[in-house]
Amino acid sequence: MKRKFFQIFKEPEIFSTPKEQEELFELWEKLDGLEVQNKSKYHLTKFGSPGFAKIANIAALILLSIVLGILTGKWMYEQKPEKELITGLNADFSVTRIRSVQSIEEKDLEKQEVVTALLHVLNTDVNENVRLATLGVLNPLIKDDRVRTEMIKSIANQPSTLVQVNILRSIVLQTSDGDFEDLKFLLDEKQIASMTKVRIQKLISS
Amino acid sequence: MKLKNFYLMVSFMAALMINPMVVLAQSSVSLQLYNAVVSIEETEEIQQPEYQYSLFNGFEMEEKFDRSAKIEIQKNGKNLDIKDNGEREFVWITLRVPPKTNLKIEITRDGKIQAKNISGDLDIQVFNGEIDLESIFGGLSLISVRDTEISLDQSNIESIRSPIFISTYSGKVESKFNPKSNFNLLLSTEMGEIKSNYEIKIQEDTSSPFEVKSTSGTDIQYPQFVEHSVNGGGAMVSFRTILGDISVVK
């Protein structure tokens, strides 16, 4: 407001006579008198005033949108365990990779891509503990023929005897019919430890 | 677009983006050493990892507190990497780390590690050694390739929230837990013994090619393995070994 009147005042061709200028000063004084700066402060800060209510509304809406954003983000991540798995498996620390594998829930195992990712981890992760944690998550799926076959193949890929015997134990515990013929080819695999081979031999012959 | 709507959209998008990818900057320490004695202390007094080390070449011990030709040290803010250059000396190293520091320790030969009250994750690999851990609040992954004696005392921790995985070839894993702690216990030894004062059932493994052996008048069958929910279950505690013995007590 002040700027506007100041600009008008600065235009002498409009208010050229002293009287007009004096009238303008008076008008300006009156308008200055109408400036309600104190009222503005009152408007914005006093609890219960309309201004306060307006700010509180905006703040509440922003807060609500942040909460909604967080909940949406959480929901989106929960819907994509395979993405989380892949992200977590790039971690340098093996504990982070173990956490990532263990974050897979039973309902997520219905997704083929999750099972494929877990089998990949079982075969390739450099850390024995990550592979054993993965075995624990895959355990309920061994009754599935495809998973069983992949896990038997995985025994041949394992450089660690500990992982070999633990996969074998999981397979044995999940085999109700006592048929272990599908393990036979492992006896010819060079990487299989003698301890594992002795157990396979016993399973086949019993 | 109204200003109010713009603010709403920006705050919504910001919240969406930061969640759940919010990762507070954590300190991390990585040690890759040949022979080492490592002692780790966590303290709130510092913001970044600190270290002191000395080298022992078999004849004399040399105190070194700064960069050395024999040890490669990279310190980048909260991250500290220490490697030896294959001189095959023993390194004595004392680490002081701020809370929530993640530690990765690889010792390719003989290692002795001592750590207490650690709130970050511990990722340890040793060949042979002796490892003494107490009150590990973060996760633990420990692998020993050969003969290692491991002691883990978690009796001061009522709630175990992070996974604990220990895999060894031989040696001993002795552990103690708080009677109130809840966790899922998974133990297995192919040619060793499991001892515990928890009411656990040692299960049979039908693939076992081994006979019953007798120790102190008691017949035991091996391999032995245990799957047990302690106090309703919780984080996974897994101790697996080939030739080693496992003890879990409360």
Side-chain angles (χ1 to χ4, degrees), chain A residues 160-192:
Chain A
S160 153
T161 309
L162 190 65
V163 182
Q164 286 178 15
V165 293
N166 275 280
I167 296 176
L168 185 63
R169 175 179 296 128
S170 293
I171 291 170
V172 171
L173 290 173
Q174 298 288 339
T175 307
S176 50
D177 60 3
D179 181 4
F180 296 105
E181 280 299 311
D182 51 357
L183 300 174
K184 204 169 182 177
F185 80 97
L186 291 173
L187 295 172
D188 300 325
E189 294 289 332
K190 284 182 184 172
Q191 192 159 277
I192 305 282

Side-chain angles (χ1 to χ4, degrees), chain B residues 68-186:
Chain B
S68 156
K70 295 170 184 171
I71 292 280
E72 289 174 27
I73 298 170
Q74 286 191 330
K75 196 162 190 289
N76 178 17
K78 292 188 166 187
N79 301 324
L80 172 67
D81 292 337
I82 300 179
K83 288 180 191 174
D84 69 7
N85 60 2
E87 291 284 330
R88 313 222 161 170
E89 293 170 311
F90 252 100
V91 180
W92 269 259
I93 184 156
T94 302
L95 289 169
R96 293 178 82 227
V97 296
K100 297 283 179 191
T101 298
N102 291 330
L103 295 130
K104 185 174 185 178
I105 302 167
E106 288 177 48
I107 299 173
T108 44
R109 192 68 203 176
D110 294 329
K112 186 170 179 180
I113 299 171
Q114 199 172 27
K116 189 176 176 182
N117 294 325
I118 304 295
S119 61
D121 289 339
L122 258 177
D123 187 345
I124 300 173
Q125 287 197 49
V126 294
F127 188 79
N128 282 323
E130 198 178 314
I131 296 170
D132 188 3
L133 306 173
E134 186 179 338
S135 301
I136 307 300
F137 292 86
L140 170 67
S141 168
L142 195 165
I143 294 171
S144 157
V145 181
R146 285 289 154 193
D147 190 25
T148 300
E149 298 215 346
I150 298 163
S151 167
L152 174 66
D153 184 350
Q154 299 286 75
S155 57
N156 288 329
I157 302 178
E158 280 195 15
S159 178
I160 293 174
R161 293 177 182 167
S162 294
I164 295 173
F165 276 72
I166 297 177
S167 299
T168 73
Y169 184 80
S170 60
K172 282 182 188 170
V173 180
E174 292 185 340
S175 62
K176 189 175 182 183
F177 291 89
N178 189 299
K180 293 178 182 172
S181 290
N182 58 308
F183 49 88
N184 287 323
L185 191 60
L186 206 157

Side-chain angles (χ1 to χ4, degrees), chain A residues 80 83 122:
Chain A
K80 291 187 178 298
K83 185 177 174 184
L122 184 67

Side-chain angles (χ1 to χ4, degrees), chain A residues 58 61-62 65-66 68-70 72-74 76-77 92-96 98-99 102 127-129 132-133 135 139 161-162 165-166 169 172-173 195 198-199 202-203, chain B residues 4 7-8 11-12 15-16 19-21 102-104 121-123 125 139-143 162-163 165 167 188 190-191 205-209 223 225 236 240-242:
Chain A
I58 292 174
L61 281 167
I62 288 173
S65 67
I66 288 172
L68 278 174
I70 288 169
T72 310
K74 197 177 174 190
M76 283 165 67
Y77 262 75
D92 188 33
F93 281 81
S94 63
V95 178
T96 312
I98 290 171
R99 281 201 184 94
Q102 292 192 324
N127 188 287
E128 214 169 285
N129 285 332
L132 289 169
L135 172 64
N139 246 338
T161 309
L162 190 65
V165 293
N166 275 280
R169 175 179 296 128
V172 171
L173 290 173
M195 177 182 277
V198 170
R199 298 175 76 167
K202 190 195 171 200
L203 285 166
Chain B
K4 191 164 81 175
Y7 284 143
L8 285 176
S11 58
F12 183 83
L16 199 62
N19 175 75
M21 300 296 286
N102 291 330
L103 295 130
K104 185 174 185 178
D121 289 339
L122 258 177
D123 187 345
Q125 287 197 49
L140 170 67
S141 168
L142 195 165
I143 294 171
S162 294
F165 276 72
S167 299
S188 78
E190 302 311 304
M191 297 182 77
D205 185 340
T206 52
S207 67
S208 165
F225 75 99
M236 177 67 79
R240 307 196 214 209
T241 172
I242 296 283

Side-chain angles (χ1 to χ4, degrees), chain B residues 229-249:
Chain B
S229 288
V230 178
N231 294 328
M236 177 67 79
V237 173
S238 162
F239 302 150
R240 307 196 214 209
T241 172
I242 296 283
L243 304 177
D245 296 328
I246 299 170
S247 159
V248 182
V249 297

